[in-house]
Amino acid sequence: MGTRLHTELHRLYGPGASASPTAGLDGLIDEDGQVRAMALSLGRPADWEAISGVWQAVQSDLSLPAPGIAVSGMDSYQLWFSLDEAVPAAQAQAFVEALRVRYLSAMAPSRVTLLPGRAPEATRVLPPASEWEWPAGALPPQQIGTDQWSAFVAPDLAPIFADTPWLDIPPSLDGQAELLSRLRSIKPGAWQSARALLTPAPAEAPASPTAEPSGSPGPHQDPWRFLLQVMNDATVPMASRIEAAKALLPYTKRSEGPASGS
């Protein structure tokens, strides 16, 4: 792999800023289980209209830099996201899952692949990195099959790969490096803002039942005493107090409530 291309791949997707630029990029997960790369693939069949909608939305809705666009070499379009600072793989996976739910919920889950992904339990050896995995050769460019290569592609050329999401000749390493040089990583502040925008707002707690005014009749209060309490209760709305006063008006000259049978 060309030196310039490897440098660009490491700049964007290498698992740790402290790692050597010449280190391998197969794993993309550091020994602490953290990543700087995330990928979302849509395939079986490849659907440029849908994946381009996500590509545009993360820029317009979430104010993130444009992710890299790639063809998988088999059956999918891919979006590759780069983080300026590594985050736990679980956090990265939750982010691309939130993108799927927000923008690709109409697609069958079997058509969408999210990376990093959970490793099968049988292959887990040492936590925390072993809980997550990247398939070997996931990061383009790679030869996937006979005359089929995965590769990063320019946005204006991506639609032509809808029926055949691969290159049938090896991609130019300098061309791949040039495409990657235009991409930018997601800064920590933008990352946190985007995560907040994708997190559903907590449901509002139901309003507490309105407390009855202190003048509400008790089990042994008669109507006259109830109206008197309402009229004198400062916590009761003024309109209700006025109505209570009107009801009591015929009895204002009495020292007691109306006598029964009068």
Side-chain angles (χ1 to χ4, degrees), residues 124-197:
R124 299 179 189 178
V125 182
L126 297 173
S130 59
E131 183 179 352
W132 303 93
E133 69 173 359
W134 286 86
L139 183 63
Q142 301 281 345
Q143 183 171 8
I144 305 301
T146 303
D147 298 330
Q148 290 183 213
W149 279 263
S150 66
F152 288 95
V153 296
D156 56 340
L157 295 179
I160 69 175
F161 297 99
D163 295 329
T164 55
W166 60 79
L167 272 64
D168 53 14
I169 59 173
S172 162
L173 300 186
D174 284 341
Q176 292 288 284
E178 179 61 28
L179 282 174
L180 294 175
S181 71
R182 304 169 191 169
L183 301 179
R184 295 294 176 264
S185 299
I186 301 170
K187 299 295 183 182
W191 168 245
Q192 297 301 337
S193 296
R195 290 181 63 217
L197 289 170

Side-chain angles (χ1 to χ4, degrees), residues 38-245:
M38 303 173 290
L40 182 154
S41 300
L42 176 63
R44 298 177 294 277
D47 187 333
W48 171 244
E49 182 177 358
I51 203 72
S52 66
V54 182
W55 182 78
Q56 293 168 350
V58 296
Q59 297 174 73
S60 60
D61 297 353
L62 306 180
S63 300
L64 296 178
I69 302 170
V71 288
S72 70
M74 293 182 64
D75 56 11
S76 307
Y77 281 110
Q78 302 175 330
L79 297 181
W80 283 84
F81 298 85
S82 167
L83 292 168
D84 195 56
E85 295 182 0
V87 301
Q91 188 180 116
Q93 202 277 342
F95 179 80
V96 286
E97 168 63 12
L99 291 180
R100 183 195 70 79
V101 171
R102 173 71 65 89
Y103 300 113
L104 296 175
S105 59
M107 303 296 172
S110 60
R111 294 184 58 199
V112 183
T113 301
L114 309 176
L115 294 175
R118 286 190 179 275
E121 290 192 16
T123 66
R124 299 179 189 178
V125 182
L126 297 173
S130 59
E131 183 179 352
W132 303 93
E133 69 173 359
W134 286 86
L139 183 63
Q142 301 281 345
Q143 183 171 8
I144 305 301
T146 303
D147 298 330
Q148 290 183 213
W149 279 263
S150 66
F152 288 95
V153 296
D156 56 340
L157 295 179
I160 69 175
F161 297 99
D163 295 329
T164 55
W166 60 79
L167 272 64
D168 53 14
I169 59 173
S172 162
L173 300 186
D174 284 341
Q176 292 288 284
E178 179 61 28
L179 282 174
L180 294 175
S181 71
R182 304 169 191 169
L183 301 179
R184 295 294 176 264
S185 299
I186 301 170
K187 299 295 183 182
W191 168 245
Q192 297 301 337
S193 296
R195 290 181 63 217
L197 289 170
L198 287 174
T199 301
E204 292 186 4
S208 301
T210 303
E212 293 185 359
S214 59
S216 298
H220 304 296
Q221 284 185 324
D222 61 45
W224 183 81
R225 292 185 183 279
F226 167 64
L227 290 171
L228 186 62
Q229 285 189 348
V230 170
M231 184 184 72
N232 293 325
D233 191 341
T235 66
V236 174
M238 182 57 69
S240 298
R241 295 174 66 189
I242 291 173
E243 291 301 317

